[in-house]
């Protein structure tokens, strides 16, 4: 099998992993002339976008799509009839370097089906990274998938070469993982995440302690995970609760939500439907509220409930808490401003800086890049006050819903 | 009217020098015309520069934020940019804080220009595609790019840092950047025909592009928002976007319509490697069993069961309350800050930790997540009761002479009922089964005391309590 054909099989097998980021790592470059590559610590670079709207930043492939496990949601499960392939270590290395040289990618995201044993698989994955770093002095971004319960020494080595490590929790609830992936053990996944966090903490302490000559390097871009949404019956509350728990426990940089999508040769036990993309989008919005806006899971969605699909979660929250509005933009605290529908973190910073010198008026909203339709019923400006009782209207939500359209008749 | 002619499109220093002089001479923005040498606008300028520009004395301060914004905004292709920047500078001279007013029209416009330039720079970093001329080792990498603004000089150092070991050129209609492995150089712009039209790897790249795309989640608008069509003509993968979109619905439909094939029967699969065989040792099988404990709901959010540790021969058993954050991650009891405090106190009291069995009354970490931390929560009675079976089975596996209960939760587990520490602390009490028990505080209580003097005092008392255990340890060593 030629490398091109292998690439098709092994990229196809990797495309259900939603992670794409190449940001948040240390600053590196190759200006010493000894190797190739650099990283942009602030913002990763998306080199292309696929028609599914997702960024292509890294060469995202599996080392092999052969797998011992038989996880129902996975296209690579042992019982699936998809064609199988396996890159040699050198093939994966060469492809990464060749693509990188042409500026197609920011680096490599390498995962693998589990073959022989967790340790053997992890060793293969680490070998690619080792070769890139040590033989070719590759300074680009490397994201490695960690195999649960792999040997501690292998994990440490992975962290030495990789910018980011990840391990997918896959399902929001332990029971669904047992149902869909009987060989996967959520406890083992969590133990590995816990080990990663301890190592990340240690490396951070090393960096901040000035006494040590050379700090231990361990995955400077931290760890992330992915949850599949819509394959089981977990509610959004359950999903977000799991995320909050993962963020707190393991200091994850990101939890990715991957709307379950039909896969070739899908198992009969799974729903064959279009992926719930809007639900996935709402979960990302809610996740954002937890991480950057100071919202608690319980505030975003009630027990066992789902996020509304017609309006975004912050707007839904505001509609449930109308007594807190309207808010005077020229006086409200940062925390309060962050809860106004349509106000992003950057807009709030700009508002706070601006109002030190001048008052904010109706006409300023556009320059602050605030969507007026969304924000106006909830705010007071020096020349704007929402119509009295507007906030009390039952039908306020109608204002925000997408316009209803007549169904077509087909001619 | 003042006519200013700048050397080139990106002549920030020239603009800065002229603008400074103009502001110092109170020349109103409406009275200045800006042009670039060789541009059409220059035709209307008088043949010699205006006289006051010869005079350049004094300086004034503007915020660094303005300078940074201006350096970027001047690379914008809008011919009005020099005038807009001068207008803002003129106003900033007497109103220093104006730059923070995001709602000011001039500030907003300059900010938007700078943002457009940064975005274009970012897109250049992303969308330049090198093509190889010649073969490896002697290969030269050449790209064709059409930037929207005057960003070639701004964006080039990025490529020099990234591709330091290979000679490359980026050709654009405005300006070309070259790297020979040592230094950057710039030459005038060229036509697209000067650039190579293909690369041996492009077909492979297109195959990757097609394979990584998931046809079941078509979102063309999202793609175009980040990769506008104007960039497509120079991206090798763009030629297959249209066919991929057209094919997507058919492929998804086929995936859904096709019944699943019969599951492939794997030959001999090795046993799932994550399942461990239970060890023969009593304590080990207890530990294994406890790892799957579901007696209360605490297991759900915790990482793992943190079981007791220590030699089977221990005659002292220390019982804490519950694992904390560190213990939960590591899977071992007393490894966090409270554990370090305990180690210190044990050493001072003369107790050998290696000969002690250390465990907790509750074996899963109870907490509430608060952003990036987990706040410790006190276990309630049903949780303590649910976990008590493990404590009891540990006691019967170890057969300790003395059980030290540290803290109220531990005391509740050891005595089987709520037992206040204050009254029982520091005395050896006989348990119904004839074993001895000693109650003291939990080391994390010492960590929480805010007053250093009280902390010191309480720590001494804690060590004194542990000395009772030390006496017992020595006695039993002598007896053995």
């Amino acid at each position: 099998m030629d490398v091109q054909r292998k690439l098709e099989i092994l990229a196809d097998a990797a495309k259900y992993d939603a992670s794409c980021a190449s940001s948040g790592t240390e600053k590196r470059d190759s200006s010493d002339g000894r190797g190739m590559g650099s990283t942009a610590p602030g913002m990763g670079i998306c080199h292309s976008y696929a028609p599914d709207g997702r960024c292509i930043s890294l060469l995202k492939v599996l080392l092999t799509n052969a797998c011992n496990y038989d996880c129902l949601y996975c296209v690579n499960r042992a019982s699936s009839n998809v064609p199988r392939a396996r890159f040699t270590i050198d093939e994966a290395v060469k492809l990464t370097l060749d693509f990188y040289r042409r500026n197609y990618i920011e680096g490599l995201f390498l995962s693998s089906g589990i073959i022989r044993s967790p340790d053997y698989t992890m060793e293969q994955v680490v070998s690619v990274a080792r070769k890139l770093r040590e033989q070719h002095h590759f300074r680009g971004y490397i994201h490695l998938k960690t195999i649960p319960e792999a040997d501690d020494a292998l994990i440490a080595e992975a962290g030495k070469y990789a910018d980011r490590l990840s391990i997918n929790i896959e399902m929001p609830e332990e029971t669904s993982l047992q149902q869909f992936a009987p060989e996967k053990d959520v406890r083992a996944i969590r133990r590995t995440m816990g080990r990663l966090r301890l190592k990340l903490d240690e490396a951070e302490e090393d960096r901040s302690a000035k006494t040590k000559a050379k700090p231990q390097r361990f995955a400077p871009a931290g760890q992330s995970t992915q949850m599949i949404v819509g394959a089981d019956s977990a509610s959004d509350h359950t999903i977000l609760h799991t995320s909050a728990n993962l963020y707190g426990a393991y200091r994850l940089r990101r939890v990715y939500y991957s709307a379950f999508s039909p896969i070739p040769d899908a198992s009969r036990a799974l729903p064959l439907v279009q992926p719930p993309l809007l639900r996935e989008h709402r979960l990302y919005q809610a996740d954002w509220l937890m991480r950057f806006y100071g919202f608690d899971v319980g505030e975003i969605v009630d027990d066992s409930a789902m996020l509304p699909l017609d309006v975004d979660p912050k707007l839904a929250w505001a509609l449930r808490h109308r007594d807190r509005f309207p808010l005077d933009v020229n006086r409200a605290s940062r925390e309060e401003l962050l809860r106004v529908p349509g106000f992003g973190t950057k807009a709030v910073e700009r508002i706070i800086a601006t109002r030190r010198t001048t008052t904010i008026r109706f006409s300023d909203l556009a320059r602050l890049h605030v969507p007026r339709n969304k924000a106006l019923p909830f705010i007071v400006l020096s020349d704007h006050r929402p119509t009295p009782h507007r906030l009390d209207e039952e039908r306020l939500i109608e204002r925000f819903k997408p316009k209803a359209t007549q169904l077509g008749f087909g001619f | 009217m003042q006519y200013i002619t700048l050397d080139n499109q990106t002549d920030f220093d020239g603009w800065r020098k002229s603008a400074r002089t103009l502001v110092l001479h109170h020349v109103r923005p409406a009275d200045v015309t800006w042009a670039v040498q060789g541009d059409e606008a220059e035709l209307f300028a008088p043949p010699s520069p205006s006289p006051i520009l010869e005079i350049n004395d004094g300086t004034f301060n503007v915020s660094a934020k303005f300078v940074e914004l201006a350096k970027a905004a001047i690379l914008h292709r809008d011919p009005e940019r020099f005038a807009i920047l001068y207008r803002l500078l003129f106003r900033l001279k007497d109103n220093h804080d104006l730059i923070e007013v995001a709602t000011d029209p001039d500030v907003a416009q300059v900010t938007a220009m700078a943002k457009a330039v940064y975005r274009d720079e970012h897109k250049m970093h992303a969308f330049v595609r090198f093509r190889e001329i010649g073969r490896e080792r002697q290969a030269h990498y050449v790209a064709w790019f059409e930037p929207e603004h005057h960003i070639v000089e701004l964006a080039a150092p990025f490529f020099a840092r990234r591709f330091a070991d290979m000679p490359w050129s980026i050709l654009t209609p405005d300006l070309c950047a070259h790297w020979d492995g040592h230094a950057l150089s710039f030459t005038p712009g060229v036509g697209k025909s000067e650039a190579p039209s293909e690369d041996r790897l492009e077909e492979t790249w297109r195959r990757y592009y097609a394979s990584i795309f998931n046809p079941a989640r078509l979102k063309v608008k999202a793609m175009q928002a980040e990769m506008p069509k104007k960039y497509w003509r120079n991206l090798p993968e763009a030629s297959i976007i249209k066919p991929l979109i057209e094919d997507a619905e058919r492929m998804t439909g086929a995936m859904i319509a096709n019944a699943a094939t019969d599951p492939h029967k794997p030959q001999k699969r090795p046993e799932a490697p994550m399942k461990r065989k239970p060890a023969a040792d009593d304590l080990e099988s207890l530990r294994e069993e406890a790892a799957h404990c579901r007696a209360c709901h605490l297991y759900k959010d915790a990482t793992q069961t943190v079981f007791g540790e220590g030699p089977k021969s221990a005659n002292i058993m220390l019982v804490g309350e519950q694992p904390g954050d560190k213990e939960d991650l590591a899977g071992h009891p007393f490894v966090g800050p409270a554990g370090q405090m305990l180690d210190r106190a044990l050493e001072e009291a003369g107790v050998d930790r290696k000969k002690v069995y250390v465990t907790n009354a509750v074996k899963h970490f109870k907490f509430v997540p608060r952003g990036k931390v987990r706040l410790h929560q006190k276990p309630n009675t049903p949780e303590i009761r649910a976990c008590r079976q493990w404590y009891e089975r540990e006691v019967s596996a170890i057969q300790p002479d003395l059980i030290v209960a540290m803290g109220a939760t531990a005391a509740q587990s050891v005595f089987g009922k709520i037992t206040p520490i204050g009254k029982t602390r520091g005395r050896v009490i006989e348990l119904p089964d004839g074993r001895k028990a000693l109650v003291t505080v939990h080391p994390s209580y010492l960590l929480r005391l805010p007053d250093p003097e009280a902390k010191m005092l309480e720590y001494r008392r804690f060590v004194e309590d542990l000395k009772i255990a030390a006496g017992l340890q020595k006695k039993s060593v002598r007896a053995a």
Side-chain angles (χ1 to χ4, degrees):
Chain A
M1 196 185 287
D2 69 352
V3 175
Q4 259 186 25
R5 178 70 190 128
K6 283 188 186 179
L7 176 64
E8 281 178 336
I9 293 171
L10 295 169
D12 192 282
K15 72 183 169 199
Y16 303 97
D17 204 304
S19 167
C20 64
S22 56
S23 56
T25 190
E26 61 191 358
K27 197 177 159 76
R28 290 194 301 269
D29 63 44
S30 55
S31 47
D32 60 2
R34 269 185 72 214
M36 172 182 48
S38 63
T39 50
M43 173 160 43
I45 298 177
C46 301
H47 286 268
S48 193
Y49 289 83
D52 52 21
R54 296 198 286 188
C55 146
I56 299 176
S57 176
L58 303 168
L59 169 61
K60 195 191 311 186
V61 288
L62 263 57
L63 198 53
T64 173
N65 66 338
C67 191
N68 288 346
Y69 289 7
D70 204 29
C71 310
L72 291 186
Y73 52 79
C74 182
V75 68
N76 306 312
R77 67 189 185 282
S79 62
S80 158
N81 287 311
V82 292
R84 307 282 172 170
R86 179 177 178 177
F87 275 137
T88 64
I89 288 162
D90 285 335
E91 282 167 346
V93 167
K94 188 165 187 321
L95 205 52
T96 308
L97 294 172
D98 278 349
F99 276 8
Y100 197 86
R101 250 182 219 297
R102 286 157 181 80
N103 205 37
Y104 297 162
I105 52 169
E106 277 299 281
L108 173 68
F109 175 6
L110 190 63
S111 177
S112 179
I114 296 178
I115 44 168
R116 288 196 218 174
S117 72
D119 279 352
Y120 174 79
T121 311
M122 193 73 218
E123 164 59 29
Q124 294 290 302
V125 169
V126 168
S127 296
V128 175
R130 186 193 301 125
K131 197 153 199 179
L132 278 168
R133 292 282 194 237
E134 306 224 305
Q135 267 185 32
H136 300 277
H137 303 284
F138 176 67
R139 315 269 163 85
Y141 193 92
I142 297 181
H143 177 156
L144 297 180
K145 186 110 319 197
T146 313
I147 311 297
E149 303 258 66
D151 188 78
D152 217 47
L154 285 169
I155 301 260
E157 214 188 348
K160 186 176 153 196
Y161 301 125
D163 290 285
R164 173 168 285 180
L165 295 174
S166 66
I167 173 165
N168 288 350
I169 193 99
E170 309 291 13
M171 293 281 159
E173 283 180 301
E174 187 164 0
T175 44
S176 12
L177 196 67
Q178 278 161 358
Q179 185 193 342
F180 291 121
E183 290 133 322
K184 276 205 175 173
D185 174 1
V186 80
R187 294 291 129 185
I189 293 170
R190 295 188 139 203
R191 277 199 298 276
T192 306
M193 284 181 173
R195 277 200 289 166
L196 291 181
R197 198 200 115 184
L198 286 175
K199 284 191 161 50
L200 288 164
D201 285 357
E202 214 174 283
E204 198 177 319
E205 277 165 33
D206 259 20
R207 271 198 298 277
S208 48
K210 281 167 187 147
T211 44
K212 263 199 174 172
K214 208 180 174 194
Q216 179 91 38
R217 187 185 185 281
F218 195 85
Q223 62 167 328
S224 66
T225 195
Q226 166 174 297
M227 239 187 290
I228 299 168
V229 174
D232 66 351
S233 58
S235 71
D236 290 346
H237 180 269
T238 307
I239 292 169
L240 292 171
H241 177 86
T242 301
S243 294
N245 184 8
L246 293 172
Y247 282 125
Y250 312 115
R251 307 261 164 86
L252 294 178
R253 290 290 180 89
R254 286 288 300 274
V255 173
Y256 288 93
Y257 304 95
S258 174
F260 173 74
S261 77
I263 48 174
D265 196 28
S267 156
R268 288 176 187 132
L270 283 174
L272 268 174
V273 289
Q274 284 290 330
L277 294 182
L278 187 55
R279 184 180 175 203
E280 178 192 277
H281 180 60
R282 294 282 181 244
L283 282 167
Y284 275 117
Q285 288 177 318
D287 186 271
W288 216 255
L289 291 183
M290 293 200 293
R291 287 191 296 143
F292 302 108
Y293 291 79
F295 279 79
D296 205 63
V297 188
E299 292 182 281
I300 300 172
V301 60
D302 301 333
D303 274 11
S304 78
M306 300 295 277
L307 293 166
L309 291 177
D310 48 4
V311 290
D312 72 70
K314 198 209 254 184
L315 183 54
W317 177 86
L319 288 168
R320 286 198 305 272
H321 296 88
R322 300 180 197 199
D323 53 311
R324 302 206 192 183
F325 298 101
L327 208 60
D328 186 339
V329 173
N330 286 299
R331 285 167 205 281
S333 68
R334 172 181 274 115
E335 287 69 33
E336 289 173 315
L337 289 174
L338 282 171
R339 288 182 176 240
V340 176
F343 279 27
T345 45
K346 276 189 186 154
V348 168
E349 290 314 313
R350 276 196 291 262
I351 286 168
I352 290 169
T354 300
R355 71 185 189 184
R356 282 194 197 110
T357 350
T358 177
T359 12
I360 293 164
R361 293 165 187 283
F362 179 82
S363 54
D364 294 333
L365 289 181
R367 283 192 210 104
L368 292 164
H369 303 290
V370 167
R372 275 195 258 186
N373 175 49
K374 227 179 224 179
L376 280 179
F378 300 96
I379 55 173
V380 171
L381 299 160
S382 61
D383 56 350
H384 161 81
R385 181 169 282 278
T387 336
H389 312 303
R390 179 93 216 219
L391 269 174
D392 302 328
E393 274 176 40
E394 278 290 313
R395 298 186 41 198
L396 182 56
I397 192 170
E398 300 300 331
R399 178 192 170 108
F400 306 108
K401 284 186 182 171
K403 293 259 180 307
T405 47
Q406 179 78 51
L407 286 173
F409 288 104
F411 61 89
Chain B
M1 182 59 78
Q2 296 289 328
Y3 291 94
I4 313 290
T5 305
L6 301 172
D7 287 349
N8 55 60
Q9 294 289 353
T10 60
D11 183 12
F12 178 75
D13 291 333
W15 176 85
R16 180 189 213 159
K17 204 170 135 227
S18 305
R20 187 197 292 135
T21 312
L22 289 165
V23 168
L24 286 171
H25 285 87
H26 309 290
V27 180
R28 289 180 304 126
D31 296 335
V32 190
T33 301
W34 298 85
V36 174
Q37 219 162 51
D39 257 20
E40 268 175 60
E42 206 201 356
L43 296 176
F44 302 102
S48 61
S50 316
I52 68 157
L53 281 183
E54 303 304 324
I55 312 157
N56 188 7
D57 50 354
T59 64
F60 60 97
N61 289 327
V62 286
S63 75
K65 192 174 171 186
F66 171 76
V67 180
E68 195 197 324
L69 272 177
K71 273 185 180 167
I74 212 156
L75 306 179
H76 201 277
R77 211 176 277 275
D78 186 343
E80 290 301 311
R81 63 194 183 278
F82 307 112
I84 295 164
L85 281 169
Y86 180 64
R87 195 166 67 215
L88 180 57
L89 180 71
F90 189 79
R91 295 175 60 210
L92 276 174
K93 190 190 170 244
D94 302 315
N95 185 0
H96 204 260
D97 295 333
L98 180 66
I99 197 74
E100 297 296 338
V101 181
T103 54
D104 180 85
D106 286 338
V107 175
Q109 194 175 4
V110 169
T111 310
M113 281 178 154
K115 213 173 145 191
V117 165
Y118 287 135
R119 184 178 158 87
D120 199 32
E121 182 202 12
H122 185 72
K123 293 301 181 197
M124 178 163 168
H125 292 163
F127 297 148
V128 153
R129 297 280 183 265
F130 284 114
R131 286 170 164 154
E132 189 187 55
I133 299 178
R135 274 297 169 116
E136 270 166 60
R137 293 191 197 284
Q138 271 91 51
H140 190 103
Y141 292 82
V142 183
W144 170 252
F145 191 74
E146 293 164 63
E148 191 168 343
H149 302 293
H150 301 288
I151 54 160
V152 175
E153 284 163 294
L154 180 70
F158 164 86
F159 294 98
R161 286 192 300 272
R162 170 160 294 194
F163 302 108
D165 72 338
M166 69 189 209
W168 54 258
S169 297
I170 300 172
L171 313 180
T172 88
D174 300 322
L175 193 69
C176 302
H178 310 273
W179 172 258
D180 60 3
H182 303 284
L184 269 175
S185 58
F186 297 92
T187 56
V190 295
K192 189 176 181 174
S193 57
E194 304 282 314
S197 55
E198 55 181 22
D199 183 276
R200 66 189 163 93
L201 229 67
E202 275 169 11
E203 183 50 27
T204 314
W205 173 238
R206 273 191 287 270
R207 298 258 189 120
Y208 173 69
Y209 183 83
S211 310
I212 203 71
F213 156 60
N214 185 348
R217 19 180 328 145
L218 203 58
K219 272 188 176 176
V220 182
K221 265 192 196 152
M223 169 186 67
Q224 280 190 28
E226 296 298 335
M227 192 167 75
K229 274 192 165 167
K230 66 179 177 199
Y231 296 110
W232 288 17
R233 59 175 176 268
N234 295 319
L235 293 172
E237 64 270 29
S239 63
I240 58 168
I241 292 177
K242 209 170 157 246
L244 280 178
I245 294 171
E246 283 166 358
D247 213 30
E249 258 180 66
R250 188 191 59 76
M251 281 171 71
T252 312
M255 259 193 286
I256 294 174
N258 284 353
T261 50
D262 284 327
H264 164 75
K265 283 257 160 46
Q267 299 93 1
K268 217 183 101 211
R269 263 197 295 140
E271 197 169 315
M274 279 174 193
K275 297 230 170 73
R276 289 208 183 123
K277 290 190 192 94
D281 186 351
D282 274 349
L283 213 49
E284 273 313 298
S285 44
L286 259 188
R287 178 193 305 278
E288 171 64 24
E289 202 185 325
H292 305 286
C293 181
R294 304 283 185 269
C296 73
H297 64 100
L298 288 185
Y299 78 91
K300 278 192 181 162
D301 290 339
T303 302
Q304 54 194 318
T305 308
V306 180
F307 205 67
E309 279 178 2
K312 200 176 144 44
S313 59
N315 65 335
I316 295 175
M317 180 163 162
L318 294 182
V319 186
E321 304 200 303
Q322 62 153 336
D325 184 62
K326 267 263 162 73
E327 287 80 10
D328 171 77
L329 298 172
H332 304 292
F334 286 99
V335 291
Q340 282 158 16
M341 176 76 91
L342 176 66
D343 285 351
R344 212 178 98 200
L346 283 173
E347 203 187 322
E348 267 186 60
V351 180
D352 187 352
R353 168 147 183 191
K354 286 197 228 52
K355 291 181 181 158
V356 177
Y357 187 84
V358 183
T359 190
N360 282 302
V362 171
K363 291 178 172 51
H364 277 122
F365 180 32
K366 184 180 180 183
F367 63 92
V368 283
R370 276 281 168 279
K372 289 203 165 181
V373 290
R374 298 191 286 181
L375 294 183
H376 168 280
Q377 299 273 290
K378 207 173 148 50
N380 57 29
T381 300
E383 287 152 3
I384 297 172
R385 228 177 260 153
C387 217
R388 193 158 188 258
Q389 54 150 329
W390 299 115
Y391 160 75
E392 284 170 347
R393 292 167 75 182
E394 276 174 305
V395 170
S396 51
I398 303 283
Q399 298 285 351
D401 299 328
L402 176 73
I403 298 167
V404 182
M406 300 185 292
T409 303
Q412 190 177 345
S413 199
V414 171
F415 292 99
K417 60 179 187 211
I418 295 175
T419 310
I421 303 181
K423 287 183 195 159
T424 46
R425 178 170 182 184
R427 285 186 288 126
V428 175
I429 300 164
E430 192 159 319
L431 291 167
D433 64 358
R435 266 177 247 288
K436 294 190 187 73
L438 175 71
V439 177
T440 184
V441 292
H442 195 273
S444 63
Y445 159 74
L446 304 173
L447 287 172
R448 283 197 301 268
L449 285 174
D451 176 32
E453 209 168 300
K455 200 175 206 163
M456 192 62 193
L457 225 66
E458 277 296 320
Y459 177 74
R460 299 264 41 110
R461 267 189 83 191
F462 182 55
V463 173
E464 287 309 312
D465 290 345
L466 291 176
K467 274 186 181 161
I468 301 173
L472 236 109
Q473 194 175 40
K474 283 201 192 84
K475 237 194 312 187
S476 68
V477 169
R478 245 178 278 135

